[in-house]
Amino acid sequence: MKKTLGPWSLTALGIGAVIGSGIFTVIGTAIAGQKFDTSSILNAPLADYIVHHAATLGRPGAGPALALSLVLVAIVCAFTALCYAELASMIPIAGSAYTYTYATMGELIAWIIGWDLILEYAVSNMAVSVGFAAHLVDLFDWFGWHPALRWISPAYLPSGMSDLKGNVLYAPGWHLGFNIPAFLVVMLLTVVLVRGIRESAETNNVMVLLKIAAILAFVFAGMHYIHPSNYHPFAPNGWSGILTGGSIIFFTYIGFDSVSTAAEEAKNPQRDLPIGIIATLVVCTILYIAVAVVLTGLVPWQSLIDDAAPVVNSLKRLGLSTGSVTLHWIRLAVLFGAMMGMISSLLVFQLGQARVWFAMSRDRLLPDLFSHVHPKFRTPSTATWIAGFLVGIPSGILDIGTLADLSNIGTLFAFVLVSLGVIILRYKQAERHRGFRAPGGLAAPVLSVIFCFLLMAGLPILTWIRFFVWLVIGLSVYLLYSRYRSEFCPDERRR
């Protein structure tokens, strides 16, 4: 493979992958947390329950201290990316965590990671599509069109829904409705992926510039309207809120591992990969902190609860209160940049999800229909259509906070397995060639495992239960079906 990527090319690749839709969508939930109508142990973050042994009406947000949460998450991602880079450099092919673990740690661990990646890709795209729908509705509002509320909001709203004036539109819980824009955007992109789409470096660069421009437009426009009183108290829920905020905002960093998967294309992996990873995380964290500081300075942090479009809604609220025409047009620019970024993210993760299913089917761990290739377009059409419906339908039903939690715990668990894999392979295959070795001995993988579990502890107990149910289902499928179809299964036992 031709080695063409230097440290700054890797940095550009990483910034494009990291700066996506999360900063425009889940940041409101990370700042304000969630409030429920009934007290329950299941709603409590795991770390909170371990310390206080008490039920809760929701989970705390970080408030203005989300800036500290972002730094914590960046540190976690740095350690994990170094582990990911080492594992990727051991395999001379492009691929995903599933591909690397299959080649280095065997079929069972690969199955667990593949099953986990299915959850990560699917649920993250559900959250992104809900965020896209919220921004599309805001765009309709900009042009003065107001569709019926029940067809543009999720059926499940754990914190209810209020308008910008604080009037209650829906009480917490379930209501009759379906988020049609969220469903439609997934299905339209599914059609695009089935017909085939080629990645273009130029297109990717344009998308990156649009996303950065949207962030900068919000920061520079909003900084003139900051009310310092909104920063007090800075950490309203203490370290518990900072940890929980980090667990939620982790969603915005999904995709940073794209830098480490380019290990084989780096000119000098041992030097260039750490530079690319750290530079990516530093740039993105600075941009994210700027958004968090401006957003919490514009509006009281409590007003951002369950808002899937907090950035543009804050601009709308500010524009209405000041009557500024400039803010009205900046809101449109931010909307456009954010929506383009979300479409880019949706395409990448829907494509990645179908490819994981395709790879697992090709390895005979999933039914053959998932590796069916369209006779004309030469794409994994069946896997792509199934992925489209499995993402699109829940997107119309569930809220962004619930979806982001499941995506976060799935991603963090995958990173734990990758980091543990690095530790195991350091002992079992110490002599194996590594194009890149994480510096500091075992410090990076050990710290990665510790910090990933720390962030996972900031997620609600109910999210842990849902995740373990998903894993049990996956292991049951493997034990009862997949292992009997595997190429490693003896012929007399194969089905």
Side-chain angles (χ1 to χ4, degrees):
M1 183 178 291
K2 189 176 181 180
K3 296 181 180 293
T4 59
L5 298 179
W8 307 120
S9 298
L10 290 167
T11 301
L13 174 69
I15 292 173
V18 174
I19 295 182
S21 54
I23 197 64
F24 296 107
T25 54
V26 300
I27 189 171
T29 304
I31 290 170
Q34 286 184 299
K35 300 292 185 294
F36 305 117
D37 55 344
T38 57
S39 178
S40 171
I41 291 174
L42 298 179
N43 295 332
L46 179 62
D48 263 19
Y49 182 72
I50 291 174
V51 173
H52 301 295
H53 300 289
T56 176
L57 282 167
R59 54 179 171 164
L66 185 69
L68 299 180
S69 304
L70 287 162
V71 173
L72 170 64
V73 173
I75 293 171
V76 175
C77 290
F79 288 131
T80 304
L82 292 172
C83 299
Y84 215 124
E86 178 170 330
L87 193 63
S89 72
M90 295 174 69
I91 317 298
I93 56 174
S96 65
Y98 167 78
T99 306
Y100 304 140
T101 51
Y102 199 99
T104 56
M105 288 182 281
E107 186 177 87
L108 177 60
I109 302 300
W111 167 267
I112 294 172
I113 281 196
W115 190 254
D116 188 53
L117 287 175
I118 290 172
L119 178 70
E120 174 192 339
Y121 287 149
V123 181
S124 65
N125 261 7
M126 292 175 200
V128 173
S129 61
V130 172
F132 179 88
H135 285 75
L136 183 62
V137 170
D138 202 280
L139 183 65
F140 292 158
D141 175 77
W142 195 91
F143 286 104
W145 182 39
H146 306 283
L149 190 60
R150 69 173 52 184
W151 304 124
I152 57 173
S153 57
Y156 178 60
L157 294 166
S159 301
M161 178 183 287
S162 302
D163 61 18
L164 296 182
K165 297 179 180 178
N167 300 316
V168 176
L169 303 175
Y170 284 114
W174 292 89
H175 69 92
L176 178 63
F178 189 77
N179 195 342
I180 292 177
F183 173 77
L184 287 182
V185 69
V186 174
M187 300 317 300
L188 288 172
L189 294 180
T190 299
V191 173
V192 171
L193 289 172
V194 167
R195 293 183 64 86
I197 183 170
R198 289 184 176 88
E199 292 187 38
S200 162
E202 291 77 13
T203 302
N204 181 63
N205 290 338
V206 170
M207 289 293 186
V208 173
L209 291 175
L210 283 173
K211 289 184 278 189
I212 293 177
I215 289 174
L216 293 178
F218 170 72
V219 170
F220 286 113
M223 63 190 301
H224 300 292
Y225 298 91
I226 288 174
H227 297 283
S229 60
N230 288 332
Y231 294 133
H232 302 287
F234 180 70
N237 294 303
W239 283 106
S240 175
I242 292 171
L243 176 60
T244 303
S247 302
I248 299 169
I249 206 66
F250 179 80
F251 183 85
T252 64
Y253 284 88
I254 292 176
F256 77 91
D257 53 358
S258 62
V259 181
S260 50
T261 59
E264 289 298 314
E265 299 173 66
K267 292 178 181 177
N268 184 351
Q270 200 63 36
R271 181 201 68 183
D272 297 346
L273 280 173
I275 293 175
I277 290 167
I278 294 170
T280 293
L281 293 172
V282 167
V283 171
C284 294
T285 302
I286 290 172
L287 290 172
Y288 287 175
I289 288 175
V291 173
V293 169
V294 172
L295 184 59
T296 51
L298 291 181
V299 296
W301 63 271
Q302 302 94 328
S303 66
L304 300 172
I305 288 180
D306 211 30
D307 189 342
V311 172
V312 293
N313 282 337
S314 295
L315 284 175
K316 177 183 177 182
R317 185 183 288 112
L318 190 61
L320 291 173
S321 64
T322 63
S324 171
V325 176
T326 302
L327 286 175
H328 185 63
W329 286 99
I330 287 175
R331 175 182 159 212
L332 179 63
V334 173
L335 271 169
F336 180 75
M339 290 173 70
M340 291 301 100
M342 290 180 209
I343 289 174
S344 172
S345 298
L346 284 166
L347 277 171
V348 169
F349 280 102
Q350 282 298 98
L351 180 70
Q353 181 178 196
R355 294 307 188 270
V356 170
W357 290 7
F358 179 86
M360 294 178 74
S361 175
R362 185 184 54 198
D363 293 332
R364 296 185 55 79
L365 298 179
L366 287 177
D368 294 336
L369 66 91
F370 287 102
S371 55
H372 171 75
V373 175
H374 195 284
K376 179 180 178 181
F377 303 122
R378 311 307 299 167
T379 59
S381 53
T382 304
T384 303
W385 276 115
I386 294 174
F389 281 106
L390 288 182
V391 169
I393 293 174
S395 298
I397 298 172
L398 299 174
D399 70 296
I400 195 166
T402 300
L403 294 170
D405 283 345
L406 282 170
S407 177
N408 286 336
I409 197 170
T411 306
L412 287 164
F413 183 72
F415 291 162
V416 167
L417 291 182
V418 166
S419 302
L420 289 174
V422 169
I423 296 172
I424 293 169
L425 292 172
R426 287 280 185 95
Y427 289 102
K428 285 193 171 184
Q429 299 183 24
E431 74 291 344
R432 185 165 179 161
H433 171 72
R434 290 162 171 81
F436 171 80
R437 181 184 290 267
L442 292 178
V446 170
L447 290 172
S448 174
V449 171
I450 292 172
F451 279 115
C452 282
F453 273 122
L454 180 64
L455 286 180
M456 290 170 74
L459 294 168
I461 292 175
L462 183 59
T463 298
W464 281 81
I465 293 172
R466 289 166 175 163
F467 179 65
F468 279 122
V469 168
W470 176 257
L471 287 182
V472 168
I473 293 171
L475 287 173
S476 300
V477 171
Y478 177 79
L479 294 174
L480 298 176
Y481 174 79
S482 299
R483 69 172 180 158
Y484 294 108
R485 285 173 44 87
S486 165
E487 59 185 14
F488 298 109
C489 182
D491 291 339
E492 64 274 10
R493 299 180 62 191
R494 185 171 295 178
R495 295 176 183 174

